Amino acid sequence: MQHNIFTTMRSLKFPEGCKGTQVYAINPTGGEGGGGGCGGKVGEKFLQHLQDLRANSIRTKSSRNSHPPTNQTTRTNVPVESLLPAGFPTVDLMEPQIEPCLKSVDFVESLAAVYKKVEDSSQFEKSERILEQCAVFKGLCDPKLFRNSLRGARQHAVDVHSKVVLASWLRFERREDELIGLSAMDCCGRNLECPRACLVPGYDPESVNDPCVCSRGELEGGVLMGDGGECSTSDIDEVGGGGDDDDDDCDMSFCIGDDEIRGVRYNVASLSRPFRAMLYGEFKESRRETINFSQNGISAEGMRAAMIFSRTKRLGSFELKIVLELLSLANRFCCEELKSACDAHLASLVCDMEGAMMLIEYGLEEGAYLLVAACLQVILRELPFSMHNPYVMKLFCGSEGRERLASVGHASFLLYYFLSQIAMEEEMKSNNTVMLLERLGECATEDWQKQLACHQLGVVMLERTEYKDAQKWFEEAVEAGHIYSSVGVARAKYNRGHKYSAYKMMNSLISDHTPVGWMYQERSIYCTGKEKMMDLNTATELDPTLSFPYKCRAVLLVQENKLEPAISELNKIVGFKVSPDCLELRAWISIVLEDYERALRDVRALLTLDPNYMMFYGKKHGDQLVELLRPLVQQYSQPDCWMQLYDRWSSVDDIGSLAVVHQMLANDPRKSLLWFRQSLLLLRLNCQKAAMRSLRLARNYSTSDHEKLVYEGWILYDTGHREEALSKAEQSISIQRSFEAFFLKAYALADSSLDPESAKYVIQLLEEALRCPSDGLRKGQALNNLGSVYVDCEKFDLAAGCYMSALEIKHTRAHQGLARVYHLKNQRKAAYDEMTKLIEKANNNASAYEKRSEYCDRDMAKSDLSTATQLDPLRTYPYRYRAAVLMDDHKEAEAIRELARVIAFKPDLQLLHLRAAFYDSMGDTSCTLRDCEAALCLDPNHTGTIELYKRARERGNEPEK
């Protein structure tokens, strides 16, 4: 098994789970119910039911380890209604969220098909094909795949419009709008997202990572040049000051009012064919030296500027109104060169929302492509704030606005895809979201685009409880080929009271296709009793990452007065996939058990993931529940919290650590160090969106420039900008030497295979970090990382010293590194014992079981790996190991099934590559090619898969004997 440079890095990444819905509960006051709603007396019986539950559970409460509340009287007098305003959750009101993305019955086939489309496309089509890949990746759980694909689409973009939209989208993915002190038009230093570089048309995929024009002071392609984006005017006279041609050369003049503007007939005629026809054709003006031009909508100053342009073919440093007059004149008389110059010049002036709002109307009226692109770029880079501008939303949301944008080449599926995704994140149920999705559908030309637009409209209409419209849009998506939208059709029918019709529809879906977890999950909604439980269990067996079956089983257990087993059921999924809805339900049950400390822990962790989460069927904000629970548990001072954080971090209790950090931030909300610690925990739990939010807050609350640069570096690193992250670290070190700056630089450098010299440099950086002030938590991580580099340099004694030092300050994960050292020294028993210590100490220990399996015999290894899979089914090594053992035993079909089991819910690169190799050894070329193509879709640069794919293609092209 290959090892990374850092055995335990800054965060342990797991595949990100898809966000579930909130738990739906009884509304004692009634309200509109769905097709499976409960009777009106259920809410009235809640209090009695609650007392029964408490009476049945009180005998077991004394055995639980929980801190007693500070004030027993306060605890006794807390009214039930204040803690559980919506009563208790019921299965009938629970529904899993329908994911608003393309979701395939067979993701491997989808990935392979998209890869072939991208590879077979021309350079002018490649960006659009990669956009389809982006849409497919949205249905997976790894946000990095989506970002990398989006970056690829920008890299291969040809036209200005696509470059502007894709670069703005990349910026939005980092949510730089939330970083205080940054302007929307600030440049990252690379062509990829540079606002000026995006205004240059043309295909040049190799230059996107080059230093951008902002650092060079010029823009290639002739659009913008010189400082400030203005063209050189060194040989152009100022308007109104000697702007006419020399009198010796002038042979005509234009009269505008009392002004006479002299010019050269030939130069003016060269502006356009209409001018040439007027001055040299059969018109009477061709025989006159003086032409009255007063009725053509241009001022004398504007005409004088036109004379200058006719001679120099350049624009001077004219006032804005003069350039706008020239643009209008160019359109009226078809002066393409003049129009192009005005368009580029005006585009160079757009740098903020005020300028964009002022000039976009001119651009739309005059058909100025670059000017509209520049205005659009500012608007898009100001998202989501620009969505609150009435003019912007009128332009984007209305059919008339879309037609106006289309008239200048700026209405596209790409644009509305970007806008609609932001609108759905901001407020899914809003009218603006609906209208943007309708425009998205109008721009859809390919099947996958129609599927996406219709499916998302169905999801939004379902959220708005407009079930008839939701059913219509889902049915259109199904007709376009999106099978997953059948779930939406069934759900809409169910909510309209057609439960049996929904059940039959899911039955047909299961019988017509290879079953996957979400099919059984959906059917479970429409049945009861044993059949419901069977479907829930089958859904978990096929896809253990689905949270709804765990929640549903937990609520069913609660209804049987089995509260602790209900908690255990939720623990199964929270152990490897943390989501607000599961934490909410677990807190809910803990409140019924009067285990307020455990409830408060989960609510605090929940609010870390989603600070605006509304609990109990939207009846109570999470912060309000925290305030109600706080008096019921033991209170801790800030120093006590630090000790608790140290203990929970050391015991690898990530949820507990999150809760402690949340409490500390409540006491000191501007402490950037705490926000950073929170981000580390969230990354370890694979909650990347929440982690990035915490990192941005850490950066915003920084009180020094060197600290701010470090957090900006982590933001860049975690969004795929490694070189830029290194630059930030170096800038920070140049200001002040600090632990975090050295650690960031070492971490980023170690992100690739290290040669001996590079490894030596990383060691020096980590040693410098350890010399700087920091706390035990961070120094333990640095020592652990330093030990990993020493291991890769085969300096085992030094590595062991680092790990032991880390363990002395309770960095528990160092047991894993020390075990690796023992193993490399052929001390397998010591390695096994070291991993056993980690298993005993760590709350989250699936990785420890996985690692321990390397240090024991086959039977014990199988047992450990089975435990690892049970604790975290998203870990892929156990499946690969078991499949390899089966292949060694010549059980090819069983090996393929073992891999297919996990690939069905986690299409992982290593899994796909291994299965492709198995198929290759079995002589199944078509399946080999399919799995290789799916793997290369995830990582087109994976060397092993590229070689296997090449061999399989060559064999597939061989003529049959």
Side-chain angles (χ1 to χ4, degrees):
M1 180 181 177
Q2 292 182 346
H3 298 278
N4 294 326
I5 292 300
F6 290 162
T7 304
T8 303
M9 300 294 274
R10 180 173 60 99
S11 61
L12 182 59
K13 309 274 182 161
F14 297 105
E16 184 180 1
C18 303
K19 185 178 179 181
T21 55
Q22 295 184 15
V23 177
Y24 288 89
I26 297 172
N27 181 355
T29 60
E32 184 179 352
C38 60
K41 293 185 178 180
V42 177
E44 298 172 6
K45 296 180 179 178
F46 164 68
L47 293 179
Q48 182 60 45
H49 179 57
L50 183 62
Q51 295 301 323
D52 293 342
L53 290 174
R54 285 178 171 171
N56 290 330
S57 65
I58 197 167
R59 289 188 296 272
T60 61
K61 276 183 58 183
S62 60
S63 63
R64 290 196 306 270
N65 293 323
S66 61
H67 293 286
T70 305
N71 188 329
Q72 188 71 32
T73 304
T74 306
R75 176 176 177 174
T76 304
N77 293 333
V78 172
V80 171
E81 295 82 357
S82 64
L83 289 177
L84 297 175
F88 204 74
T90 174
V91 171
D92 292 335
L93 293 179
M94 291 171 60
E95 292 183 6
Q97 182 186 27
I98 296 177
E99 296 179 40
C101 55
L102 294 180
K103 196 173 180 70
S104 174
V105 174
D106 187 343
F107 255 126
V108 175
E109 289 285 356
S110 297
L111 292 171
V114 168
Y115 175 76
K116 286 189 286 188
K117 285 183 182 180
V118 172
E119 289 302 299
D120 295 342
S121 60
S122 68
Q123 67 179 42
F124 300 106
E125 299 173 329
K126 195 172 287 288
S127 184
E128 291 184 10
R129 296 284 74 81
I130 298 175
L131 182 64
E132 181 179 356
Q133 185 185 64
C134 290
V136 171
F137 284 161
K138 269 289 188 182
L140 299 177
C141 299
D142 187 351
K144 286 186 177 180
L145 288 173
F146 175 78
R147 281 199 304 269
N148 290 340
S149 186
L150 199 64
R151 194 174 293 116
R154 166 62 187 92
Q155 179 181 1
H156 293 280
V158 178
D159 60 282
V160 168
H161 173 79
S162 296
K163 291 181 179 182
V164 163
V165 178
L166 289 165
S168 301
W169 200 338
L170 283 167
R171 182 182 185 275
F172 179 80
E173 284 294 305
R174 289 198 306 279
R175 293 308 303 259
E176 288 194 0
D177 56 284
E178 295 183 4
L179 297 181
I180 297 171
L182 287 188
S183 164
M185 298 303 286
D186 283 348
C187 179
C188 67
R190 304 278 177 181
N191 284 331
L192 186 73
E193 295 180 39
C194 174
R196 294 175 68 188
C198 288
L199 296 179
V200 182
Y203 182 74
D204 190 8
E206 304 306 320
S207 71
V208 291
N209 292 316
D210 292 345
C212 68
V213 295
C214 299
S215 58
R216 298 200 306 265
E218 60 181 17
L219 190 52
E220 298 171 358
V223 178
L224 307 174
M225 297 183 296
D227 295 334
E230 295 185 1
C231 301
S232 173
T233 59
S234 59
D235 59 347
I236 302 177
D237 297 319
E238 293 290 336
V239 177
D244 296 345
D245 292 315
D246 293 339
D247 286 340
D248 293 342
D249 297 327
C250 294
D251 55 3
M252 62 158 297
S253 61
F254 288 98
C255 287
I256 299 176
D258 295 332
D259 292 297
E260 182 177 342
I261 298 94
R262 303 280 292 165
V264 177
R265 186 179 295 267
Y266 175 80
N267 290 342
V268 177
S270 69
L271 289 174
S272 70
R273 293 179 66 183
F275 270 122
R276 186 180 302 113
M278 179 180 72
L279 297 176
Y280 287 107
E282 301 298 324
F283 298 96
K284 58 185 179 181
E285 286 83 359
S286 65
R287 297 183 292 276
R288 293 179 177 174
E289 286 189 13
T290 302
I291 300 172
N292 188 343
F293 220 62
S294 299
Q295 305 301 316
N296 285 283
I298 189 168
S299 66
E301 291 82 359
M303 198 63 202
R304 188 170 289 110
M307 292 300 100
I308 293 174
F309 184 84
S310 72
R311 174 167 57 87
T312 64
K313 303 303 180 186
R314 293 183 181 181
L315 290 177
S317 53
F318 305 137
E319 293 182 10
L320 176 60
K321 66 177 183 177
I322 299 299
V323 182
L324 292 172
E325 284 189 38
L326 289 176
L327 178 60
S328 180
L329 176 74
N331 268 329
R332 191 173 295 113
F333 287 90
C334 304
C335 307
E336 293 301 324
E337 189 177 9
L338 176 59
K339 179 178 179 178
S340 178
C342 292
D343 194 8
H345 182 83
L346 291 168
S348 73
L349 303 179
V350 182
C351 59
D352 54 29
M353 276 295 289
E354 183 180 1
M357 291 296 95
M358 180 177 67
L359 290 174
I360 192 168
E361 270 299 317
Y362 287 102
L364 291 169
E365 288 295 325
E366 301 296 344
Y369 177 81
L370 273 181
L371 175 56
V372 174
C375 296
L376 193 63
Q377 178 168 243
V378 172
I379 294 169
L380 296 180
R381 291 173 73 94
E382 287 281 1
L383 288 169
F385 303 119
S386 55
M387 278 193 162
H388 301 294
N389 185 304
Y391 173 83
V392 170
M393 295 319 293
K394 181 180 178 182
L395 179 65
F396 286 147
C397 293
S399 294
E400 182 183 347
R402 187 189 70 81
E403 291 169 3
R404 294 185 72 197
L405 288 169
S407 68
V408 289
H410 285 291
S412 66
F413 182 86
L414 169 62
L415 172 65
Y416 284 100
Y417 186 18
F418 178 31
L419 293 171
S420 61
Q421 299 316 291
I422 297 175
M424 290 176 74
E425 283 186 26
E426 291 291 303
E427 191 178 355
M428 181 175 280
K429 299 180 184 180
S430 72
N431 291 334
N432 285 340
T433 301
V434 173
M435 289 188 286
L436 286 170
L437 286 169
E438 288 173 343
R439 304 294 83 75
L440 179 71
E442 291 168 1
C443 293
T445 56
E446 301 181 33
D447 286 343
W448 74 269
Q449 296 174 346
K450 295 172 185 175
Q451 293 171 18
L452 182 64
C454 293
H455 179 74
Q456 291 189 336
L457 269 167
V459 170
V460 170
M461 290 302 178
L462 198 67
E463 287 289 317
R464 288 161 61 102
T465 67
E466 297 176 22
Y467 301 125
K468 187 175 181 180
D469 286 338
Q471 183 176 333
K472 165 184 167 290
W473 286 114
F474 282 130
E475 286 172 344
E476 289 193 21
V478 173
E479 188 177 344
H482 191 229
I483 296 171
Y484 177 65
S485 294
S486 301
V487 169
V489 178
R491 191 77 62 84
K493 286 182 176 182
Y494 170 67
N495 282 291
R496 295 178 69 194
H498 308 300
K499 182 176 180 179
Y500 184 60
S501 178
Y503 178 81
K504 284 200 304 182
M505 187 169 190
M506 294 313 300
N507 260 347
S508 298
L509 197 65
I510 290 170
S511 62
D512 293 345
H513 300 89
T514 302
V516 288
W518 52 262
M519 294 180 185
Y520 285 95
Q521 171 180 270
E522 189 66 23
R523 193 175 70 173
S524 72
I525 300 172
Y526 315 129
C527 53
T528 57
K530 291 183 179 179
E531 188 178 358
K532 186 183 194 74
M533 187 59 73
M534 286 175 61
D535 277 354
L536 290 171
N537 292 339
T538 304
T540 298
E541 182 182 344
L542 293 173
D543 185 354
T545 67
L546 297 172
S547 62
F548 175 77
Y550 298 91
K551 290 160 53 182
C552 202
R553 285 190 293 265
V555 173
L556 290 171
L557 286 167
V558 168
Q559 291 175 355
E560 297 174 7
N561 293 352
K562 298 176 180 178
L563 301 184
E564 288 293 355
I567 294 281
S568 299
E569 182 65 26
L570 291 170
N571 288 344
K572 292 177 185 177
I573 188 166
V574 172
F576 68 90
K577 178 186 170 185
V578 180
S579 61
D581 55 323
C582 289
L583 289 173
E584 176 193 20
L585 183 55
R586 195 167 72 172
W588 208 331
I589 300 171
S590 296
I591 291 173
V592 177
L593 283 167
E594 297 187 39
D595 189 345
Y596 299 128
E597 183 143 346
R598 185 163 61 178
L600 183 58
R601 176 203 63 189
D602 283 347
V603 176
R604 287 191 181 279
L606 178 159
L607 289 170
T608 302
L609 300 176
D610 184 354
N612 299 314
Y613 196 84
M614 298 295 294
M615 300 186 66
F616 307 141
Y617 201 25
K619 288 185 174 294
K620 190 179 290 292
H621 194 285
D623 283 332
Q624 292 177 298
L625 188 59
V626 167
E627 292 306 309
L628 288 170
L629 290 170
R630 279 182 63 244
L632 306 180
V633 302
Q634 184 172 337
Q635 304 297 305
Y636 295 100
S637 65
Q638 200 77 341
D640 290 336
C641 286
W642 273 111
M643 293 302 297
Q644 282 226 333
L645 178 60
Y646 199 89
D647 289 341
R648 296 189 185 191
W649 193 294
S650 299
S651 62
V652 198
D653 177 8
D654 296 328
I655 299 294
S657 298
L658 276 181
V660 174
V661 172
H662 184 272
Q663 181 179 350
M664 296 171 76
L665 283 168
N667 299 330
D668 192 357
R670 303 184 68 85
K671 189 75 171 178
S672 59
L673 173 64
L674 292 174
W675 287 111
F676 180 54
R677 294 298 164 82
Q678 188 180 82
S679 75
L680 299 177
L681 288 163
L682 288 166
L683 281 173
R684 188 181 295 160
L685 291 167
N686 200 38
C687 302
Q688 188 161 10
K689 184 176 179 180
M692 294 306 295
R693 174 185 173 274
S694 298
L695 259 181
R696 290 190 293 271
L697 288 168
R699 182 264 183 200
N700 287 344
Y701 288 133
S702 298
T703 56
S704 62
D705 289 339
H706 74 88
E707 184 184 19
K708 186 179 296 184
L709 285 164
V710 168
Y711 298 144
E712 288 176 358
W714 281 121
I715 291 170
L716 288 164
Y717 178 82
D718 287 329
T719 51
H721 299 269
R722 177 174 171 270
E723 295 300 324
E724 290 82 352
L726 281 169
S727 176
K728 292 286 185 181
E730 288 163 359
Q731 290 178 53
S732 179
I733 292 169
S734 69
I735 297 172
Q736 181 173 320
R737 299 162 64 85
S738 68
F739 173 91
E740 293 298 348
F742 282 115
F743 188 89
L744 169 60
K745 188 172 181 181
Y747 191 90
L749 284 172
D751 191 24
S752 58
S753 298
L754 292 177
D755 56 55
E757 282 301 312
S758 299
K760 184 178 179 181
Y761 185 45
V762 170
I763 289 170
Q764 290 174 357
L765 290 170
L766 288 171
E767 288 174 343
E768 287 292 337
L770 288 165
R771 293 189 189 101
C772 298
S774 188
D775 59 71
L777 296 177
R778 294 298 281 158
K779 290 212 169 185
Q781 290 181 313
L783 284 165
N784 196 68
N785 293 357
L786 181 57
S788 297
V789 182
Y790 277 136
V791 167
D792 290 314
C793 295
E794 298 185 356
K795 298 179 179 180
F796 301 135
D797 291 338
L798 290 174
C802 289
Y803 291 130
M804 288 176 180
S805 296
L807 288 171
E808 287 174 5
I809 52 177
K810 293 189 176 181
H811 188 77
T812 308
R813 287 180 173 84
H815 283 297
Q816 183 168 319
L818 190 55
R820 185 184 173 197
V821 171
Y822 289 143
H823 174 65
L824 292 170
K825 288 183 171 183
N826 294 318
Q827 300 174 19
R828 292 190 74 199
K829 177 67 168 59
Y832 182 88
D833 292 342
E834 201 65 35
M835 291 308 302
T836 302
K837 294 176 185 176
L838 178 56
I839 288 169
E840 292 169 351
K841 292 180 181 179
N843 283 13
N844 301 325
N845 53 18
S847 63
Y849 277 106
E850 178 185 298
K851 194 66 182 174
R852 191 176 71 171
S853 70
E854 298 181 32
Y855 311 136
C856 53
D857 59 41
R858 177 181 283 196
D859 290 337
M860 294 175 69
K862 287 173 67 175
S863 175
D864 275 357
L865 292 174
S866 178
T867 303
T869 298
Q870 185 179 357
L871 293 172
D872 183 358
L874 289 172
R875 303 193 71 83
T876 62
Y877 174 73
Y879 300 94
R880 287 186 279 131
Y881 176 90
R882 288 190 290 265
V885 169
L886 289 167
M887 283 297 286
D888 286 345
D889 294 339
H890 304 289
K891 298 177 180 178
E892 290 88 353
E894 292 180 44
I896 293 294
R897 280 198 298 272
E898 179 68 21
L899 293 177
R901 185 160 67 99
V902 61
I903 288 172
F905 61 86
K906 183 179 171 60
D908 174 79
L909 172 66
Q910 297 293 340
L911 293 169
L912 288 165
H913 174 75
L914 183 60
R915 191 170 72 171
F918 286 178
Y919 278 128
D920 186 59
S921 68
M922 296 162 62
D924 191 336
T925 303
S926 62
C927 288
T928 303
L929 290 172
R930 180 203 61 198
D931 281 0
C932 283
E933 287 160 354
L936 291 172
C937 187
L938 299 174
D939 182 2
N941 299 315
H942 190 255
T943 307
T945 306
I946 292 171
E947 293 173 355
L948 179 59
Y949 187 49
K950 183 180 178 181
R951 290 198 306 269
R953 291 185 68 178
E954 290 172 352
R955 188 167 57 254
N957 292 330
E958 291 177 359
E960 294 184 8
K961 295 181 181 179

